[in-house]
Amino acid sequence: MRKVKGKVVSAALATAMALSLSACGGTATETTEATEATEATEEAAAEETAAPKGELPTYSETPSIDFEDGNFAFAAVSTSIGGSDKSTLSVEDFNGSKALKVTNTEGGNMFLAINVSALLGDNVEKLAKVQYDIGTESADGNFYSSSGRLYTYTGQDNAEGKLDEWSVYIDTANPKTTAVEVSDFVAGGDNYIIISKETDVANDKGVGMQNMYIDNLTLLDADGNTLEADSSAEFGSPSGFAAGVDRSNLWSLTKVVNFEGFQTGAGEWAQDGFDMPQEILDALVPGAVVEIEYSSASGNMWLVMPDSAAGWMRVGVGDADGSGQGYAYTNASKNIAQVTYEQLAQYLGEDVSTWGARMQCESDSEWSVSSVKVGMAAPSYALKSPVTFEGFATSADGWAQNGFDMPQEIIDALVPGSVVEISYKSDTGNMWLVMPDCAKGWMRVGVGDVDGSGQGYAIADGAKAYVTYEDLVKYCGDNVADWGARMQCESDGPWEVYGVRVGQATEFVPTNKQIDLGAACNADGWAQAGVDLSEEALAALVPGSYINIQYTSETGEIWVVMPDATAGWMRVGVGDYDGSGQGYAACNGTTCQIPYEMIAEYCGEDVSTWGTRIQFEASTAWSVSSASIGLKDGVVVDTASAGDAE
C-alpha cells in the first residue's frame, strides 16, 4: 500500500494565509512579498483542499517504488540540463518513512533523472501518468516555498518535453503529491524523466538551496492502474544523457566533425569500421583528436587503420598486444577514448593521403562504438576561486542574444588568466559570448567561423563553454572598462544558459598511462584517509607525472596529504583553504589533478623522502571513488625495479 505522508491541512483559508508568511520567509512589514506569498498560498490551499494530501482518488494506492528497500540505482543526477548539478543521492528517513534524498552540494538547481524504461521494461509504452510525493528541507530548519518541473525524454531519440510544474508553497503541504500526464514512451528504448527544482525561496533569502525528497513514485497506465517496477534496475547510459558524460582525462574539442553513421561492434580482437568521408579526412590535421564513445568489458579501445601505406596498423593499443606503443587516452569511466593526430602520424606518417580510406575500432574484449568524431584539441579547464554571475539564467532562439549587466565582482574577476565558464545547452552544441556595448562596437567573442568571421572558437562541449580573458581582449581591447556593462550569450540554434562563472583557469593534462592506486575512501571535513603506495606507484612518481583523483566534496575541493614525508606532515594542493597560501590543485568538483612538481615543491625532489602513504582531504565531507598516477607518452619510468608502468 502507498505510504500516506504529510500533515493535516487546515480548511480555513485565513490560517493558510497566515502560514504563508513563514512559508516564504517573509515578515509582516514585507508588503510586496507578503502579497505574493498570500496569492501563492491561496492557490496552494485551494489545490490542497480539492485534492487533500495523501489521497489519490482516481489512481491505485500502491506505488511502483516506495524506496523502503533502499534501492535507487535507477536514478542519477543530470549535470547538463541544469548546469552542472553536483547533488548526491541517498535513501534516508523523511517524514516517517524512507525516501530518495537529493542533497544539494554546490548551491545550484537540482535535476533528478529516473530511467523509467529500466524500471518498467516493455510496459513503459503503457505509461500515461507519473505521480510522486515531493518534499523539501532547508539548512536552517525553516520552511521555504520552492518549485520545479517534470521533463520527459521519449521516443527512440529521447526527445525532450517540458511538462507541468510542481510547487510546494506551505509547510502543511510538505511533502506534496504531484501527478503529471505523460505520453510517447516507447519499448526498446531508454526513456527517462527528470524532476527538477528550479526556484527556491530559501536560496533567495541567503539560506542556500534546499534538499529535495522523492517518495511513492507511482507509474500509472491510462486506466489509472499502477505499473509494476523493478527497483533493482540501473540507470545505465540513455541516448543523449550528456549530463552523465565523464570528460575526465580528455581534451576538449573545437571545430568538431561527426563521423556520421559510425555505430558498430565486434568481439574481442575483432575490428570493424567504415570508410572515412572527405570531411573526416580534411579534419585530420596536426592538433586534431579522434574521439570514440564506446563500451568494452576490458575498458580498452583503440583504432585500426587496415589500408595504410605503412601496412595494417593498430594505433593507441599500448602494450595490450605486446607492441609497447602509446596508449589511447581514456576517461575514468572507460567509455570515451581519444587518439591524437600525432599518435596516428607516428605510425602512419604525416601524409594523411597515405593512411588509407578506412578507419576501424578494436578492443581486447567484446566492444561496441556509438559515435566517432574528429575535432581540434583544446584545453579542459578547472576554475580556481570562481565568482558566480548571480542570476545569469536565460534563453533565446538561434542567432538571438540575451544576457545581463555585469556586477562589479564579475568585472573585477576578468583579469589575465581568467576564463568565463557558461553552463548551457543548445540545439547545435555551439555557444559564445556577445559584448553589445564595447567601445569597439557590438562584438561576438568565441563564435569561430559559424558567422563567417573566422575568429577563434569558444571551447564548447554541449554542456560547458569557455571563453578566455585573452579571447575577449583580442576582440574587445585590453581595458575591461571599454568592454561595456553587458554580457550576453548566443548560439546558432535555440539555446538555454543555466549559469555563468568567472575564475582563474588551470588546465587539466590528459595522461594515457595509469597506475591505479586502489584509493576508494571517504572522510569528514578536515579528516584524512588514503592508501599505501606500491613500489610500482612510487617508481611512477617522476617529473611529468600527475596524481589524478575522481571525487566528490560538498564544496568542490580536495587535495592530498603526505603524512610521512621527511619534510614533515604535508598538505599539497590545499591553496589557501588552511591559510597556508600554497598553490591550489586543479579541481572541477569531480576530477582533481596534482602534478609531481607541486608535490616536489613541498616534499622535495627525492621521492624516497615522501613516505609510502598518500591521503586525501577536504574542508568538508568528501569521497574518492578512484585515484591513479598518470603519465604521458614520452615520460620515462624506471621499470627495472617496479615493472611496466601500466
Side-chain angles (χ1 to χ4, degrees):
M1 296 294 292
R2 180 178 183 274
K3 298 175 292 182
V4 177
K5 297 168 58 174
K7 304 174 184 177
V8 177
V9 179
S10 171
L13 181 58
T15 301
M17 291 171 65
L19 285 169
S20 72
L21 291 176
S22 63
C24 291
T27 68
T29 60
E30 293 172 327
T31 307
T32 302
E33 196 170 289
T35 302
E36 294 174 351
T38 299
E39 293 172 352
T41 305
E42 288 174 349
E43 178 183 346
E47 184 178 330
E48 293 299 326
T49 302
K53 179 75 190 130
E55 293 185 13
L56 301 177
T58 60
Y59 311 122
S60 168
E61 294 185 356
T62 304
S64 303
I65 299 289
D66 62 10
F67 298 102
E68 293 300 314
D69 59 9
N71 293 337
F72 63 93
F74 51 81
V77 173
S78 171
T79 57
S80 61
I81 182 176
S84 296
D85 182 7
K86 296 295 192 305
S87 299
T88 59
L89 305 181
S90 59
V91 170
E92 309 285 350
D93 291 326
F94 178 67
N95 206 51
S97 68
K98 300 290 186 186
L100 179 61
K101 180 181 181 181
V102 190
T103 302
N104 194 292
T105 59
E106 287 197 0
N109 293 331
M110 306 171 80
F111 296 82
L112 172 69
I114 296 173
N115 190 330
V116 291
S117 287
L119 289 173
L120 300 178
D122 288 346
N123 279 338
V124 71
E125 63 187 12
K126 299 178 182 178
L127 184 59
K129 184 164 288 191
V130 176
Q131 182 176 292
Y132 50 92
D133 292 347
I134 190 162
T136 57
E137 170 189 72
S138 66
D140 65 3
N142 295 322
F143 177 81
Y144 301 87
S145 61
S146 57
S147 64
R149 69 168 66 245
L150 184 91
Y151 297 81
T152 61
Y153 296 83
T154 60
Q156 293 299 334
D157 58 352
N158 279 347
E160 181 184 272
K162 290 184 180 180
L163 300 182
D164 294 346
E165 293 188 356
W166 61 266
S167 58
V168 177
Y169 281 111
I170 53 178
D171 190 15
T172 51
N174 181 33
K176 178 182 177 181
T177 301
T178 294
V180 181
E181 293 184 356
V182 298
S183 61
D184 300 326
F185 289 85
V186 298
D190 242 347
N191 291 178
Y192 60 98
I193 61 173
I194 289 179
I195 300 169
S196 70
K197 180 167 69 63
E198 300 182 52
T199 62
D200 194 327
V201 171
N203 193 55
D204 296 340
K205 295 290 184 182
V207 177
M209 286 283 187
Q210 299 177 86
N211 298 329
M212 183 169 68
Y213 291 86
I214 303 293
D215 198 8
N216 294 320
L217 178 65
T218 310
L219 307 172
L220 302 153
D221 66 18
D223 296 323
N225 300 312
T226 298
L227 297 168
E228 185 176 350
D230 177 10
S231 67
S232 66
E234 296 187 357
F235 186 81
S237 301
S239 172
F241 191 70
V245 172
D246 170 15
R247 296 204 61 83
S248 62
N249 197 50
L250 301 173
W251 280 278
S252 296
L253 301 181
T254 62
K255 301 182 182 179
V256 174
V257 179
N258 291 312
F259 195 141
E260 298 294 342
F262 204 121
Q263 293 96 31
T264 188
E268 60 182 282
W269 296 107
Q271 315 86 39
D272 199 14
F274 303 90
D275 287 349
M276 294 180 283
Q278 190 60 46
E279 57 266 26
I280 291 294
L281 290 167
D282 292 342
L284 289 168
V285 297
V289 172
V290 180
E291 181 171 290
I292 310 159
E293 293 187 40
Y294 72 98
S295 65
S296 76
S298 68
N300 295 326
M301 176 57 58
W302 55 82
L303 291 176
V304 171
M305 308 298 284
D307 304 323
S308 76
W312 188 96
M313 196 69 67
R314 290 184 173 115
V315 182
V317 65
D319 201 40
D321 63 352
S323 64
Q325 62 158 271
Y327 287 85
Y329 296 81
T330 59
N331 62 357
S333 300
K334 301 294 185 184
N335 58 16
I336 300 178
Q338 292 183 336
V339 178
T340 68
Y341 166 91
E342 285 70 23
Q343 287 178 306
L344 287 157
Q346 181 180 354
Y347 297 99
L348 306 176
E350 294 185 0
D351 185 353
V352 176
S353 69
T354 68
W355 291 6
R358 194 165 179 82
M359 177 182 287
Q360 296 181 322
C361 293
E362 186 185 39
S363 179
D364 52 346
S365 62
E366 185 175 357
W367 60 272
S368 65
V369 166
S370 58
S371 79
V372 171
K373 63 188 69 171
V374 178
M376 296 301 294
S380 293
Y381 288 120
L383 269 61
K384 292 187 292 187
S385 304
V387 177
T388 299
F389 194 142
E390 296 294 344
F392 204 121
T394 188
S395 61
D397 291 328
W399 298 108
Q401 314 87 40
N402 206 353
F404 304 89
D405 288 349
M406 293 182 285
Q408 190 60 47
E409 58 266 25
I410 291 294
I411 294 172
D412 293 343
L414 289 167
V415 296
S418 66
V419 65
V420 180
E421 177 190 81
I422 308 164
S423 297
Y424 78 103
K425 68 174 180 179
S426 74
D427 281 10
T428 62
N430 296 324
M431 176 57 60
W432 55 83
L433 290 178
V434 171
M435 307 299 285
D437 304 322
C438 76
K440 287 191 171 184
W442 189 95
M443 196 70 66
R444 290 185 173 113
V445 182
V447 66
D449 200 41
V450 180
D451 65 350
S453 64
Q455 60 161 271
Y457 285 85
I459 298 170
D461 64 7
K464 290 284 185 68
Y466 295 92
V467 177
T468 67
Y469 169 90
E470 287 69 25
D471 287 335
L472 285 158
V473 164
K474 184 176 181 180
Y475 297 100
C476 299
D478 57 10
N479 187 354
V480 177
D482 293 336
W483 294 3
R486 194 164 179 81
M487 178 182 287
Q488 297 181 321
C489 293
E490 186 184 41
S491 181
D492 53 340
W495 58 270
E496 186 169 2
V497 165
Y498 307 107
V500 170
R501 302 191 305 168
V502 179
Q504 283 291 303
T506 301
E507 292 185 23
F508 289 109
V509 177
T511 56
N512 64 338
K513 295 183 181 180
Q514 308 290 333
I515 292 84
D516 184 16
L517 299 181
C521 55
N522 61 81
D524 292 330
W526 298 109
Q528 312 89 39
V531 295
D532 291 335
L533 295 169
S534 66
E535 289 186 8
E536 179 188 24
L538 288 167
L541 287 169
V542 297
S545 65
Y546 296 84
I547 306 286
N548 294 319
I549 309 164
Q550 301 301 306
Y551 76 102
T552 60
S553 74
E554 292 180 0
T555 48
E557 89 279 354
I558 203 162
W559 53 84
V560 299
V561 171
M562 308 300 287
D564 305 323
T566 302
W569 189 95
M570 195 70 66
R571 290 184 174 115
V572 180
V574 65
D576 202 41
Y577 283 106
D578 65 350
S580 64
Q582 56 160 280
Y584 287 88
C587 299
N588 65 7
T590 59
T591 297
C592 179
Q593 189 172 71
I594 298 175
Y596 161 94
E597 288 72 17
M598 183 177 283
I599 302 176
E601 181 180 354
Y602 297 98
C603 298
E605 294 186 1
D606 184 353
V607 175
S608 70
T609 68
W610 292 7
T612 59
R613 282 194 301 164
I614 188 168
Q615 297 179 321
F616 309 100
E617 187 185 42
S619 65
T620 55
W622 58 269
S623 176
V624 167
S625 57
S626 67
S628 64
I629 298 172
L631 303 139
K632 295 186 68 172
D633 284 344
V635 175
V636 178
V637 174
D638 180 6
T639 59
S641 60
D644 185 20
E646 174 59 27

